[in-house]
Amino acid sequence: MLNKFKWVVVLSVLCCMCCTVRAADYTYDDGDPNNHLWSSKFNWTGDAVPVAPIGKIHHKNGICVIDSSAGNIGIDSHFYLAETNDANMVMTPDAGSLTTDGFMIVCYTAGKRGYVEVNVGTCDFRNSTIGLGIGWSGSGTMVVNGGTVAASSVRMPHAAQAVAGNRLEIHGGTMTSRDTFIMSYPVGSTDNEVLIDGGALYAQTHMRIG
């Protein structure tokens, strides 16, 4: 009886090990000559659309359009935008949701520009930060025309470096920082701008400007 019990335990452990799927990282290269859709396999290195569990997303360059064909996207780690060259990501009016458990870095590379536009749906960076520009002279822009954007914190720029030219525009919908909203910090980070002519920006703890 004891031996049978041991075998049951061993088989259970093996089943758990076999059923555990490691999250894979994906690189968006905008390689499809006919569109810029997230859902097109030709826009991904290796011609494979991300499937859960998704680790990191490396958006190297070009335009990425998230529409209804992408469904609801869940990322277990970070989303790096403009990691090699200028890059844009747009959530269309019929898009579903985009959630991550890591950073959303809008422009990761020196001298490049990253751009994110949210028109509807939900973007939730549940346990981390939206960073507009990470440092080293890269700059990021986020435009919220509708929908809901939330993060643990919002930083312009993300890293503690003197980076200029990051921009946040809110024309509709809501952006919520569950902790802090920080702009133009440290000293020397200049020409960072926030424009709100519709919708709302909430910081549940505090805001720091400069």
Side-chain angles (χ1 to χ4, degrees):
M1 186 69 180
L2 184 60
N3 287 334
K4 284 186 177 180
F5 178 75
K6 287 181 178 179
W7 276 111
V8 169
V9 172
V10 171
L11 289 173
S12 298
V13 171
L14 289 174
C15 286
C16 289
M17 291 174 64
C18 292
C19 292
T20 301
V21 180
R22 185 176 178 180
D25 298 344
Y26 294 87
T27 298
Y28 186 90
D29 57 19
D30 200 25
D32 193 328
N34 299 310
N35 63 63
H36 305 286
L37 295 177
W38 172 288
S39 57
S40 170
K41 67 179 184 179
F42 300 114
N43 284 323
W44 297 92
T45 300
D47 293 343
V49 176
V51 294
I54 301 171
K56 296 183 181 72
I57 294 293
H58 302 275
H59 185 165
K60 295 290 187 180
N61 55 262
I63 301 169
C64 179
V65 176
I66 297 177
D67 65 359
S68 59
S69 65
N72 296 315
I73 302 166
I75 300 170
D76 293 345
S77 189
H78 308 313
F79 194 130
Y80 298 115
L81 187 74
E83 196 175 45
T84 302
N85 296 302
D86 294 351
N88 295 355
M89 188 194 83
V90 177
M91 291 189 70
T92 64
D94 62 346
S97 63
L98 170 66
T99 60
T100 80
D101 286 325
F103 300 123
M104 172 64 171
I105 305 298
V106 185
C107 194
Y108 189 78
T109 306
K112 305 303 178 183
R113 300 192 65 84
Y115 175 88
V116 173
E117 180 180 312
V118 180
N119 291 293
V120 78
T122 300
C123 284
D124 193 351
F125 308 99
R126 294 176 291 199
N127 300 314
S128 202
T129 300
I130 297 174
L132 300 184
I134 194 171
W136 317 297
S137 77
S139 58
T141 297
M142 175 171 277
V143 177
V144 182
N145 293 317
T148 302
V149 180
S152 61
S153 63
V154 179
R155 294 172 178 265
M156 303 172 61
H158 174 73
Q161 300 186 37
V163 183
N166 301 297
R167 185 174 178 84
L168 172 63
E169 297 181 15
I170 302 177
H171 306 294
T174 60
M175 171 177 271
T176 300
S177 174
R178 299 185 182 97
D179 188 2
T180 57
F181 178 88
I182 298 176
M183 175 182 172
S184 294
Y185 177 79
V187 174
S189 179
T190 59
D191 298 326
N192 298 295
E193 298 179 344
V194 175
L195 170 64
I196 303 175
D197 58 11
L201 170 64
Y202 301 103
Q204 295 181 353
T205 302
H206 66 269
M207 288 189 177
R208 177 170 182 167
I209 308 297

